[in-house]
Amino acid sequence: MSNLTISIFGNKIFFEIINEIKLFSKFQIKYYEDLDLCVKDAEKQNLLAIFFVNKKNINFFNNNKINNFPSILINKSTTLKKTLFNELSDQLNMPFTIIEFKKKVISLIAKNEFKKNSLIHLNDYIIDKNERKIKKNDSELQLSEKEINFLVLFSKSKEPINR
C-alpha cells in the first residue's frame, strides 16, 4: 500500500499544502495541469485521483464514467450532483476539513486494496472472490462459494491436484 501514488488535478495550492504538511508522507503525490493526462495515468497505473471540479471541466465528469481507478471529486458547492461512478469514487464539497479529506482518502485506499486482493487472474479468466463471479472477456458467470473456493485452491496449487 505504501507504493500508491495520489494524483491531484485542478488545484496547485492544495497540492502544495498537502506536500507541506506531509499529510500523506508514505505516498507519492503528483500534480497534473492536464485533465486527460491525469485520467490516463490513473487508469494505467491504478492511482488514486483527486479532481477539483469547476465550471470549465464539469462537463468532462458529467459525460465520462471513471470506473477503473479510485477517485475523489471536489467541488465548490453542490453544482455537481451526487454522481458516483462506482464504489471506488467519492465526492467532497468545499469547504471541508483536512481530517474529513484524510478519512475519505484512507477509506478509498482501503477499498481499492480490498478489491485488488479479491481478484485472481487465472489464464484468461478473472475470478472475483467478493462478487463470486468468474469473467472472461465480456462474459461472466455467477458461482457458488464452494466453486470459488475450489478455483482459489486450483489457482494456488503449483502442481495438478489429483486424488
Side-chain angles (χ1 to χ4, degrees), residues 25-150:
S25 58
K26 59 184 171 182
F27 304 121
Q28 181 182 359
I29 300 176
K30 289 183 180 177
Y31 177 74
Y32 289 85
E33 292 281 342
D34 184 0
L35 178 59
D36 289 328
L37 181 62
C38 183
V39 170
K40 285 178 185 172
D41 281 355
E43 284 178 335
K44 188 173 20 172
Q45 302 170 22
N46 197 27
L47 309 175
L48 170 67
I50 299 163
F51 300 106
F52 281 83
V53 180
N54 57 36
K55 290 179 182 176
K56 292 179 190 174
N57 62 22
I58 193 167
N59 289 334
F60 178 86
F61 296 104
N62 286 332
N63 297 333
N64 294 305
K65 299 293 181 204
I66 300 171
N67 296 327
N68 303 332
F69 58 91
S71 61
I72 298 175
L73 300 179
I74 299 175
N75 53 322
K76 291 184 178 173
S77 65
T78 56
T79 54
L80 187 66
K81 297 179 200 99
K82 201 74 164 157
T83 56
L84 296 180
F85 312 115
N86 60 21
E87 71 272 8
L88 295 177
S89 295
D90 212 336
Q91 288 181 234
L92 201 56
N93 291 325
M94 288 194 273
F96 57 86
T97 65
I98 202 70
I99 294 169
E100 183 181 3
F101 173 73
K102 185 176 181 179
K103 284 180 182 177
K104 287 205 183 272
V105 169
I106 302 280
S107 171
L108 280 177
I109 290 170
K111 284 180 187 177
N112 188 41
E113 287 297 312
F114 181 75
K115 186 166 178 93
K116 279 197 302 191
N117 291 335
S118 74
L119 297 179
I120 298 172
H121 295 275
L122 189 62
N123 294 334
D124 294 338
Y125 296 94
I126 299 174
I127 303 165
D128 189 332
K129 295 188 301 186
N130 294 337
E131 293 182 15
R132 288 196 224 142
K133 290 182 180 178
I134 187 166
K135 302 172 187 175
K136 182 177 181 180
N137 301 330
D138 293 332
S139 302
E140 66 179 45
L141 180 65
Q142 190 72 39
L143 301 172
S144 70
E145 189 170 346
K146 233 176 203 174
E147 291 168 325
I148 287 290
N149 290 339
F150 277 124

